[in-house]
Amino acid sequence: MRYSTLSKLLFAAAFVLAVSAEATPAPGQLAAPWQAGKADCSHDAPPPIQVQRYNQDTYVLRENPCVTDEAPFMYLLVGTSKALLIDSGDVADAKAAPLASTVMSLLPELGGAKLPLVVVHTHGHLDHRAGDGQFASIAKVQVIGSDLPSVQQYFKFQHWPDDVAQVDLGNRIVDVIPTPGHHPAHVSYYDRSTALVFSGDAFLPGRLLIDDTAAARRSAERLVAFLQERPVSHVLGGHVEMDRHGQLIIGGTERVDERPLELSKDELATLPRMLADYNGFFSREGNYVVYNQNRVLGVLLVVGVALVIVLALAIRAMFRRIRRKRRLAIA
């Protein structure tokens, strides 16, 4: 009886250790600053793609502001049987930004060849998929479409957007959570190995551009609920659009005093309330500017047309007064 009890205790301890080990995220860090670009990129321009190694199997890549003012981030996750590249950036020309060759150089070999690679996206806007064509002729590379039917088919979503899919990279599971609102086929990724969340343009330090307000609110609630009982090391978005003083950085070839990329689980937890308070047009809270780009552009267009009409009427009235004065002077 004593040995049986001891065996049970040992088994229980081993089980707890195994679960604990599985739940503990693999450590990593993003220590170096991101290259800021230059005001004049015609001389001594920085490398077009910067790579930071988060840990031995995880890489964060960024296209430099000198090659695209979007300066998007991409993420490479390496498993034992295949690798996953999340987003392909804003530059199609491999000479301007050699994304494919850079990614392939980071992949280990399996059976004398590079590990198979799957290229996926957070969503279908061009600044996150323009580099797809660079991978078209590379062996053992599969590029998944960013439209909703392609996303649903590859990840095997049965009840979009309410179910969660998984990708097995070999000893590395990545959960795929539907987060439409910014784009109809937007998804976010949760890497169980590192506890990193890749949120694309659904959540980032800067502009949260909302196309469908109701969908964005449900997506925020869905993502926060999914992560509630899970560890989160960092939330990593598709761009950084804020400096350290809370000022927006949009466009240009230089990012001065840019704030860090990483956001926290607690910051993400504010997103549902932020979107619940959003008026469907424009709002700002802390590091986030939330607005519907189409509606804002529509209002600006209406205001612009109204100003042109007012100016035209004012000019017409002025010429009428001038003609009236001339007639009176002649009389």
Side-chain angles (χ1 to χ4, degrees), residues 108 119 139 145 159 176 229 257 267:
V119 180
H159 304 287
V176 188
E229 302 301 327
D257 202 19
E267 289 173 296

Side-chain angles (χ1 to χ4, degrees), residues 172-249:
R172 187 171 193 173
I173 302 293
V174 178
D175 294 292
V176 188
I177 306 99
T179 48
H182 173 73
H183 182 277
H186 198 294
V187 295
S188 298
Y189 299 87
Y190 176 74
D191 176 32
R192 299 183 191 180
S193 172
T194 58
L196 291 173
V197 178
F198 306 101
S199 55
D201 286 3
F203 190 61
L204 55 83
R207 296 173 301 163
L208 305 182
L209 303 182
I210 306 299
D211 182 60
D212 184 328
T213 301
R217 289 173 180 171
R218 291 192 295 268
S219 293
E221 293 167 356
R222 187 184 306 111
L223 183 58
V224 169
F226 175 82
L227 297 171
Q228 185 172 1
E229 302 301 327
R230 291 173 170 85
V232 173
S233 301
H234 301 292
V235 180
L236 305 177
H239 307 269
V240 173
E241 296 182 337
M242 284 277 178
D243 65 18
R244 293 179 183 273
H245 310 289
Q247 299 300 311
L248 278 174
I249 306 173

Side-chain angles (χ1 to χ4, degrees), residues 2-71:
R2 182 168 50 195
Y3 292 105
S4 176
T5 301
L6 179 59
S7 298
K8 290 179 180 179
L9 290 173
L10 290 173
F11 177 81
F15 177 78
V16 169
L17 288 173
V19 171
S20 178
E22 183 180 351
T24 302
Q29 61 177 347
L30 295 171
W34 294 104
Q35 293 168 346
K38 296 182 68 177
D40 180 4
C41 297
S42 61
H43 301 288
D44 299 320
I49 298 176
Q50 182 181 357
V51 180
Q52 285 204 44
R53 190 173 188 173
Y54 181 78
N55 63 22
Q56 62 180 1
D57 298 317
T58 308
Y59 299 86
V60 181
L61 302 89
R62 188 190 200 183
E63 289 177 333
N64 193 272
C66 275
V67 295
T68 166
D69 59 7
E70 294 285 352

Side-chain angles (χ1 to χ4, degrees), residues 48-271:
I49 298 176
Q50 182 181 357
V51 180
Q52 285 204 44
R53 190 173 188 173
Y54 181 78
N55 63 22
Q56 62 180 1
D57 298 317
T58 308
Y59 299 86
V60 181
L61 302 89
R62 188 190 200 183
E63 289 177 333
N64 193 272
C66 275
V67 295
T68 166
D69 59 7
E70 294 285 352
F73 289 88
M74 298 141 287
Y75 303 96
L76 179 62
L77 315 180
V78 180
T80 57
S81 61
K82 61 184 174 183
L84 192 73
L85 177 66
I86 301 173
D87 287 341
S88 65
D90 190 41
V91 183
D93 186 357
K95 293 181 179 178
L99 177 66
S101 59
T102 300
V103 169
M104 298 307 293
S105 71
L106 299 173
L107 295 180
E109 291 195 352
L110 179 66
K114 286 291 185 179
L115 198 69
L117 173 68
V118 180
V119 180
V120 297
H121 311 84
T122 55
H123 62 291
H125 289 153
L126 188 60
D127 55 320
H128 296 268
R129 60 175 175 83
D132 285 2
Q134 294 189 29
F135 297 90
S137 60
I138 303 176
K140 295 186 177 181
V141 175
Q142 182 181 10
V143 179
I144 309 304
S146 56
D147 59 287
L148 185 55
S150 297
V151 170
Q152 289 176 313
Q153 181 179 358
Y154 178 73
F155 293 116
K156 297 181 173 61
F157 285 112
Q158 299 298 318
H159 304 287
W160 175 275
D162 295 318
D163 50 351
V164 175
Q166 287 80 36
V167 178
D168 188 352
L169 304 180
N171 294 325
R172 187 171 193 173
I173 302 293
V174 178
D175 294 292
V176 188
I177 306 99
T179 48
H182 173 73
H183 182 277
H186 198 294
V187 295
S188 298
Y189 299 87
Y190 176 74
D191 176 32
R192 299 183 191 180
S193 172
T194 58
L196 291 173
V197 178
F198 306 101
S199 55
D201 286 3
F203 190 61
L204 55 83
R207 296 173 301 163
L208 305 182
L209 303 182
I210 306 299
D211 182 60
D212 184 328
T213 301
R217 289 173 180 171
R218 291 192 295 268
S219 293
E221 293 167 356
R222 187 184 306 111
L223 183 58
V224 169
F226 175 82
L227 297 171
Q228 185 172 1
E229 302 301 327
R230 291 173 170 85
V232 173
S233 301
H234 301 292
V235 180
L236 305 177
H239 307 269
V240 173
E241 296 182 337
M242 284 277 178
D243 65 18
R244 293 179 183 273
H245 310 289
Q247 299 300 311
L248 278 174
I249 306 173
I250 302 174
T253 59
E254 188 175 32
R255 303 296 178 97
V256 178
D257 202 19
E258 189 178 63
R259 64 140 289 156
L261 165 66
E262 306 94 296
L263 295 168
S264 69
K265 183 177 181 178
D266 288 343
E267 289 173 296
L268 178 60
T270 67
L271 184 59

